[in-house]
């Protein structure tokens, strides 16, 4: 009798086990006897937000370009690209759609973004890896920071020369004119004129203090302060600079705390002044 009872219990247990396995459709058994899982779905889009570092307000002429790049396969075409113009509102959301068939699982992908606003360019200080190798596909944070414009780089280089004139060979001169009195200092590095500082007193018509910097005997950067007198604060500061090809790269007019673009005619006037004083102080030799 006891062996009959145990036999019935064993049959019931086996039956229950079979029912339990058949009621779970999500599990399956591989050919080697191990449990198999369904393959993960490859994403077909990457989304996130672009922000700007600092208190920056782009103009209505700016252009934001966002791309999904395979950095492992350098030189390959982006998986996706989007252009937003103008992009005047930040943070700026984005979504890049692509074909899953083009994704190489072991490659490294990044979101690459650039903002162009006239001469100003904004780039990413840090990369934003996405999509593969455990990196996100959503809520991707992209930050852009402004780069120096060519004019700003030139101004920094000019200011560096200003700080170095104390170590250069110096000569001085003066000239009395009917409506003005001039005084200047010429600074040379070897035999080459690198810098001239000129003070011009126009009497009741004002005073100017002008720094002229030169490269290869040609005007490079000119910065002129206009004052009511020699001891007064500058009412305006005009700065102009030219590239190696003679193109106008730096042109600013600062007055009353506001900065505007210096007109081409005013920049040309400063360039002529630079040439004139170089000829005057060097006897036309330019050095």
């Amino acid at each position: 009798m006891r062996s009959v009872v145990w036999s019935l219990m064993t049959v019931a247990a086996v039956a229950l086990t079979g029912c339990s396995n058949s009621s779970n459709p999500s599990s399956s058994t591989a050919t080697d006897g191990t449990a198999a899982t369904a393959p993960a779905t490859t994403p077909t889009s990457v989304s996130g937000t672009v922000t700007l570092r600092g208190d920056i307000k782009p103009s209505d002429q700016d252009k934001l370009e966002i791309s999904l790049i395979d950095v492992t396969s350098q030189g390959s075409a982006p998986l996706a690209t989007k252009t937003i113009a103008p992009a005047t509102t930040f943070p700026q959301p984005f979504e890049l759609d692509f074909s899953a068939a083009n994704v190489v699982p072991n490659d490294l992908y990044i979101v690459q973004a650039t903002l162009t606003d006239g001469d100003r360019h904004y780039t990413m200080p840090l990369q934003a890896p996405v999509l593969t190798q455990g990196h996100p596909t959503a809520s991707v944070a992209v930050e852009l920071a402004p780069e120096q414009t060519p004019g700003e780089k030139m101004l920094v280089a000019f200011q560096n020369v200003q700080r170095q004139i104390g170590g250069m060979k110096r000569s001085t001169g003066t000239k009395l004119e009917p409506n003005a009195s001039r005084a200047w200092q010429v600074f040379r590095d070897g035999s080459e004129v690198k810098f001239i500082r000129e003070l011009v007193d126009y009497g009741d018509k004002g005073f100017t203090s002008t720094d002229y910097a030169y490269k290869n005997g040609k005007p490079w950067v000119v910065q002129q302060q206009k004052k009511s007198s020699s001891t007064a604060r500058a009412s305006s500061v005009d700065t102009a600079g030219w590239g190696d090809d003679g193109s106008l790269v730096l042109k600013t007019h600062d007055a009353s705390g506001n900065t505007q673009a210096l007109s081409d005619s005013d920049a040309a006037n400063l360039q002529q002044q630079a040439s004139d004083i170089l000829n005057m102080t060097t006897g036309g030799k330019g050095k």
Side-chain angles (χ1 to χ4, degrees), residues 43 222 224:
V222 178
Q224 185 172 83

Side-chain angles (χ1 to χ4, degrees), residues 177 182 184 193 195-200 202 207-214 217-226 238-240 242 262 264-282:
E177 299 175 348
R182 300 177 182 271
W184 60 80
V193 174
F195 203 90
I196 297 176
R197 176 164 289 165
E198 180 190 39
L199 306 177
V200 183
Y202 296 96
F207 185 93
T208 61
S209 174
T210 311
D211 284 350
Y212 305 92
Y214 300 87
K218 297 180 180 180
W220 173 47
V221 178
V222 178
Q223 187 169 77
Q224 185 172 83
Q225 299 181 48
K226 295 181 179 179
D238 291 343
T239 309
W242 300 268
L262 184 69
D264 289 350
S265 60
D266 286 342
N269 184 42
L270 291 178
Q271 188 178 35
Q272 186 61 53
Q273 290 181 44
S275 297
D276 290 344
I277 192 168
L278 179 64
N279 288 331
M280 182 181 68
T281 57
T282 62

Side-chain angles (χ1 to χ4, degrees), residues 35 53 59 97 129 274 282:
R53 180 180 295 181
S59 72
D97 298 322
T282 62

Side-chain angles (χ1 to χ4, degrees), residues 2-280:
R2 179 177 299 176
S3 54
V4 172
V5 173
W6 278 109
S7 298
L8 291 174
M9 291 177 64
T10 302
V11 170
V14 170
L16 287 173
T17 301
C19 292
S20 175
N21 287 339
S22 62
S23 65
N24 187 3
S26 63
S27 63
S28 60
T29 303
T31 56
D32 60 357
T34 59
T37 57
T41 302
T42 303
T44 58
S45 69
V46 169
S47 61
T49 304
V50 179
T51 60
L52 298 184
R53 180 180 295 181
D55 185 16
I56 300 170
K57 296 180 180 179
S59 72
D60 57 2
Q61 303 298 317
D62 69 339
K63 181 173 67 174
L64 176 63
E65 294 182 309
I66 311 170
S67 300
L68 179 60
I69 305 293
D70 183 349
V71 295
T72 303
S73 179
Q74 295 186 5
S76 61
L79 261 68
T81 298
K82 176 173 288 188
T83 300
I84 303 172
T88 56
T89 302
F90 287 88
Q92 177 71 236
F94 71 88
E95 184 170 1
L96 299 172
D97 298 322
F98 52 89
S99 172
N102 294 329
V103 177
V104 181
N106 292 328
D107 282 6
L108 175 63
Y109 294 85
I110 64 169
V111 170
Q112 181 174 285
T114 58
L115 177 67
T116 304
D117 189 10
D119 289 339
R120 177 80 64 192
H121 293 268
Y122 301 79
T123 57
M124 298 170 58
L126 299 174
Q127 285 189 340
V130 294
L131 188 57
T132 58
Q133 303 181 21
H135 295 120
T137 59
S139 300
V140 178
V142 174
E143 183 184 51
L144 299 179
E147 294 183 339
Q148 285 185 323
T149 65
E152 289 170 342
K153 292 178 181 178
M154 180 177 285
L155 181 60
V156 170
F158 169 72
Q159 291 169 340
N160 287 336
V161 175
Q162 278 182 316
R163 289 190 286 268
Q164 295 168 6
I165 61 175
M168 298 181 187
K169 182 180 178 181
R170 184 183 65 171
S171 60
T172 62
T174 60
K175 183 179 181 181
L176 185 62
E177 299 175 348
N179 300 316
S181 61
R182 300 177 182 271
W184 60 80
Q185 296 176 310
V186 179
F187 299 88
R188 290 178 172 85
D189 184 5
S191 61
E192 183 180 0
V193 174
K194 289 289 190 180
F195 203 90
I196 297 176
R197 176 164 289 165
E198 180 190 39
L199 306 177
V200 183
D201 192 343
Y202 296 96
D204 57 2
K205 293 185 179 181
F207 185 93
T208 61
S209 174
T210 311
D211 284 350
Y212 305 92
Y214 300 87
K215 277 189 176 181
N216 302 319
K218 297 180 180 180
W220 173 47
V221 178
V222 178
Q223 187 169 77
Q224 185 172 83
Q225 299 181 48
K226 295 181 179 179
K227 309 177 181 182
S228 59
S229 67
S230 60
T231 58
R233 296 184 62 180
S235 58
S236 67
V237 180
D238 291 343
T239 309
W242 300 268
D244 294 338
D245 60 354
S247 61
L248 185 59
V249 176
L250 172 61
K251 50 178 182 178
T252 60
H253 171 74
D254 298 310
S256 303
N258 296 319
T259 300
Q260 299 177 344
L262 184 69
S263 69
D264 289 350
S265 60
D266 286 342
N269 184 42
L270 291 178
Q271 188 178 35
Q272 186 61 53
Q273 290 181 44
S275 297
D276 290 344
I277 192 168
L278 179 64
N279 288 331
M280 182 181 68

